Amino acid sequence: MFGRLLILLLSVLPKHALSRGAGWLASRTVPVGWRGAVYRGYSRIFGARPDEAELPLEQYPTLNAFFTRALKPGLRPIAAHAIVSPVDAAVGAYGTVEAGTLVQAKGRTYLLGALLGDPQLAAAFEGGTYTTLYLAPKDYHRIHVPMSGTVSSATYVPGELWPVNVAAVTHVADLFAVNERIVVLLDAEQGGRMAIVPVGATMVGMTRLVFDDLHTNARRREVQRRHYDPAIALRAGDQLGHFEFGSTVVLVCSPDAGVIEPLTLGASVTMGQRLGALAAGGATTRA
């Protein structure tokens, strides 16, 4: 009942304006003397780990800087010869792409073509595997590369900014295909392709990439496509982007790139953790 009431309330609120407002507030400078107390208080409320932060808390000038903090070196080792988790998150869904369809939640499905914004592109992933990874406010907010390869394109798809929590996933039809998102296509070293789709959400200021100025919650709310020539070479574990709060990443792996192995719904994963096997001949370790 609460979930439905929350969705009903949000349906009449200006979600984009609220989210931009949250981003503006999180970007205000926190006085140096307050920073430790503010960030430790946030961490106690949400369960974050300030001890993992790369820098002393006083060196993060804003809440947004703290949200998007890097971690101390070595805290997230990258599993060798594997598809790895791009984020710290909870598993929201896992399965095989069948008839171009993915499971959103029990009793709810959506079309991969709608998620990617390209029904023809979706055909390349038929029979492949996917997972949905949900980041809570407590989590490390940077997004990393799940396997080595080259980024050939990235597309900003404007849309709604519904929450991506359990209530929304349960009650909002086609949630991930109607929310704002960036579709990143990675051509794997061993062949095949992976779609990495960071999905925006209510109160997420923006979702950004490190190699382009594309971001969600843009004021110019129209599809923006980037094609990279030459393609951008990345290694597994390299940073891809970040969320300015929490949200969701949907990973879809074509059968000829590898397979995401069965994952338990609700299980926690950490960035760099093995999620699956590469196709023969693949490698994910840094040179």
Side-chain angles (χ1 to χ4, degrees):
M1 177 63 73
F2 175 77
R4 290 186 179 182
L5 290 174
L6 175 63
I7 298 305
L8 180 62
L9 174 63
L10 286 171
S11 69
V12 298
L13 292 176
K15 295 183 285 296
H16 286 82
L18 284 172
S19 298
R20 280 193 289 268
W24 178 87
L25 184 62
S27 298
R28 299 307 92 195
T29 299
V30 178
V32 175
W34 296 5
R35 292 174 188 173
V38 169
Y39 304 148
R40 279 190 288 270
Y42 170 89
S43 299
R44 283 193 295 271
I45 291 170
F46 292 106
R49 293 286 305 274
D51 58 303
E52 293 187 337
E54 180 183 41
L55 303 174
L57 296 185
E58 291 74 17
Q59 293 188 30
Y60 295 102
T62 66
L63 275 170
N64 193 39
F66 178 67
F67 293 156
T68 59
R69 63 196 177 277
L71 300 180
K72 292 175 181 175
L75 286 181
R76 298 291 187 275
I78 309 301
H81 312 298
I83 298 170
V84 303
S85 176
V87 290
D88 287 5
V91 177
Y94 162 81
T96 300
V97 181
E98 298 179 354
T101 301
L102 282 64
V103 173
Q104 175 174 301
K106 186 176 180 179
R108 283 197 182 275
T109 60
Y110 64 105
L111 294 178
L112 176 58
L115 175 74
L116 301 179
D118 187 338
Q120 291 184 325
L121 175 62
F125 295 94
E126 186 65 25
T129 46
Y130 69 90
T131 186
T132 303
L133 302 172
Y134 168 69
L135 289 79
K138 68 179 179 61
D139 290 318
Y140 168 61
H141 290 78
R142 296 194 178 195
I143 308 164
H144 295 256
V145 181
M147 62 169 70
S148 297
T150 56
V151 174
S152 56
S153 69
T155 303
Y156 162 62
V157 184
E160 297 293 333
L161 282 176
W162 293 107
V164 291
N165 56 22
V166 173
V169 169
T170 302
H171 295 293
V172 178
D174 304 321
L175 175 63
F176 302 124
V178 300
N179 262 21
E180 300 236 340
R181 57 204 180 276
I182 299 176
V183 179
V184 178
L185 294 179
L186 179 78
D187 296 314
E189 279 187 343
Q190 67 275 13
R193 176 173 275 186
M194 174 173 277
I196 309 164
V197 188
V199 181
T202 309
M203 305 306 284
V204 176
M206 288 179 184
T207 304
R208 298 183 183 272
L209 301 178
V210 297
F211 52 81
D212 203 304
D213 62 357
L214 281 180
H215 58 80
T216 62
N217 206 5
R219 292 189 180 277
R220 198 180 89 190
R221 298 187 61 226
E222 59 187 43
V223 173
Q224 299 177 45
R225 302 183 188 277
R226 303 280 198 274
H227 295 279
Y228 305 109
D229 185 13
I232 301 167
L234 295 170
R235 307 297 295 175
D238 285 349
Q239 189 181 345
L240 186 74
H242 67 260
F243 290 114
E244 295 180 356
F245 211 56
S247 195
T248 288
V249 175
V250 181
L251 290 184
V252 190
C253 186
S254 68
D256 49 348
V259 59
I260 300 171
E261 295 162 347
L263 296 168
T264 302
L265 301 188
S268 295
V269 296
T270 55
M271 194 283 288
Q273 177 181 331
R274 177 189 173 97
L275 292 186
L278 298 170
T284 68
T285 52
R286 288 186 176 86

